[in-house]
Amino acid sequence: MSSDSMSHPTAATPVVIPASRAVLWLAGTALIALAIYYFVGVDQGAVSVFGNNTLIHEFVHDGRHFLGFPCH
Ligand SMILES: [Zn+2]
């Protein structure tokens, strides 16, 4: 054990991933975030691009009002 690890016993080890995988994680996270944003803030049920059901709209309806998105 080196003296550095002795002086910082609780120091976290950085997670190192290749840039190609980092790009995948960033793109995937952004895509999921945009999908959540769409379903909570934009999707109205009647003009939904995923069919004519209001299931998702009803599910996120309270969150939509809580976050201040225009609704009805
Ligand atoms: Zn509403």
Side-chain angles (χ1 to χ4, degrees), residues 10 19-20 25 51 57 62 65:
T10 58
S20 56
W25 275 104
H57 179 76
D62 288 346
H65 279 262

Side-chain angles (χ1 to χ4, degrees), residues 57 61 64-65 71-72:
H57 179 76
H61 191 225
R64 182 188 183 96
H65 279 262
C71 187
H72 54 80

Side-chain angles (χ1 to χ4, degrees), residues 40-51:
V40 172
V42 182
D43 190 70
Q44 296 271 355
V47 293
S48 173
V49 295
F50 297 106

